[in-house]
């Protein structure tokens, strides 16, 4: 049985292989087509899929089919993986960030991000 991270890595490798720079053909592959069109295309899809995921969750709250939430989340994750590939990142980068946050209070982690952002802005202003 494979692990979730193995499954994500395998899917990421397929997406990577569909990049136009790696020979992906926009006429033959949906992924290659989105990557060929550039960020505007796949970022728009992420927005659409995020909205559909929210709607499916709201429907599930009122007796709707929970499988629709799974399906929409899969679409969202898939399009996010395309964006990651475009920026030469992958699921392992996201998992590493989640692991880094493990054990941190969400409120503490958010506060720390704000402190780091303020420090970075101060360095930029000073530079």
């Amino acid at each position: 049985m494979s692990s979730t991270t193995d499954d994500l890595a395998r899917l990421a490798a397929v997406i990577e292989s569909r990049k136009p720079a790696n020979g992906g053909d926009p006429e033959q592959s949906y992924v290659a087509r989105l990557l060929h069109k550039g960020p505007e295309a796949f970022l728009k899809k992420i927005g659409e899929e995020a909205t559909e995921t929210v709607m499916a969750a709201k429907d599930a709250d009122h007796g709707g089919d929970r499988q629709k939430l799974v399906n929409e989340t899969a679409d969202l994750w898939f399009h996010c993986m395309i964006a990651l590939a475009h920026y030469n990142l992958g699921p392992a980068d996201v998992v590493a960030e989640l692991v880094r946050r493990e054990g941190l209070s969400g409120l503490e982690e958010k506060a720390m991000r704000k402190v780091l952002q303020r420090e970075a802005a101060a360095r930029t202003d000073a530079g």
Side-chain angles (χ1 to χ4, degrees), residues 31-78:
V31 171
R33 187 175 319 137
L34 280 178
L35 289 167
H36 177 75
K37 288 181 178 180
E40 182 139 339
F42 57 77
L43 295 176
K44 180 179 178 187
K45 284 301 294 180
I46 289 171
E48 291 171 7
E49 299 303 344
T51 299
E52 291 172 6
T53 300
V54 169
M55 291 169 33
K58 287 181 173 276
D59 288 347
D61 281 338
H62 300 285
D65 182 5
R66 292 173 5 147
Q67 184 60 43
K68 185 155 174 58
L69 176 57
V70 171
N71 297 347
E72 295 301 343
T73 301
D75 290 345
L76 177 59
W77 286 15
F78 175 73

Side-chain angles (χ1 to χ4, degrees), residues 12-122:
V14 170
I15 291 170
E16 188 68 26
S17 75
R18 304 284 163 79
K19 283 182 168 182
N22 295 333
D25 181 358
E27 299 298 318
Q28 302 293 319
S29 163
Y30 173 73
V31 171
R33 187 175 319 137
L34 280 178
L35 289 167
H36 177 75
K37 288 181 178 180
E40 182 139 339
F42 57 77
L43 295 176
K44 180 179 178 187
K45 284 301 294 180
I46 289 171
E48 291 171 7
E49 299 303 344
T51 299
E52 291 172 6
T53 300
V54 169
M55 291 169 33
K58 287 181 173 276
D59 288 347
D61 281 338
H62 300 285
D65 182 5
R66 292 173 5 147
Q67 184 60 43
K68 185 155 174 58
L69 176 57
V70 171
N71 297 347
E72 295 301 343
T73 301
D75 290 345
L76 177 59
W77 286 15
F78 175 73
H79 288 90
C80 287
M81 288 178 67
I82 292 171
L84 289 168
H86 174 80
Y87 297 105
N88 297 314
L89 297 165
D93 297 295
V94 177
V95 171
E97 176 59 15
L98 290 170
V99 168
R100 185 192 69 77
R101 295 179 186 185
E102 186 179 14
L104 291 177
S105 155
L107 297 175
E108 288 174 14
E109 196 278 333
K110 188 174 180 180
M112 182 56 71
R113 265 189 287 147
K114 286 184 178 181
V115 167
L116 293 173
Q117 288 170 345
R118 279 195 300 270
E119 288 175 356

